[in-house]
Amino acid sequence: DLRWADGIRKFWADASITAAVKTKLARETQATLTKVDIDTSGGVVHLNGTVETQTLRQRAAELARQVRGVRQVVNNLRVGRSG
């Protein structure tokens, strides 16, 4: 079934994108970025959670956009105390 195969390819593409974004955020010197929740669907990355500053919020989106296959970044990160 071609639709099933296409769905599997999209799932693995999204999983690969999510893993790559998580890796980029983990390599950042700001430890709070490792706590960002990342969901990907159809190449659209959703960033969720709380970061400590507006600069970190922007940096997370910037890093996500650098990943191959990302079509769009929806930055739902809130600025405040994470915990």
Side-chain angles (χ1 to χ4, degrees):
D1 183 351
L2 291 176
R3 280 190 287 170
W4 178 82
D6 188 46
I8 294 296
R9 274 192 295 279
K10 286 179 182 176
F11 170 81
W12 285 112
D14 286 341
S16 295
I17 290 170
T18 298
V21 171
K22 285 183 180 189
T23 298
K24 270 199 171 290
L25 296 184
R27 287 184 179 155
E28 192 66 9
T29 58
Q30 302 297 330
T32 58
L33 290 182
T34 62
K35 298 177 184 178
V36 172
D37 183 43
I38 303 159
D39 295 311
T40 307
S41 179
V44 178
V45 174
H46 294 261
L47 303 175
N48 300 295
T50 304
V51 292
E52 293 178 1
T53 66
Q54 181 65 23
T55 301
L56 286 175
R57 182 180 187 274
Q58 292 170 343
R59 181 67 177 150
E62 177 184 309
L63 290 169
R65 284 186 196 97
Q66 294 173 5
V67 172
R68 171 180 267 156
V70 172
R71 295 179 333 135
Q72 179 183 358
V73 174
V74 178
N75 192 345
N76 295 320
L77 293 171
R78 294 177 311 278
V79 176
R81 292 216 178 251
S82 57

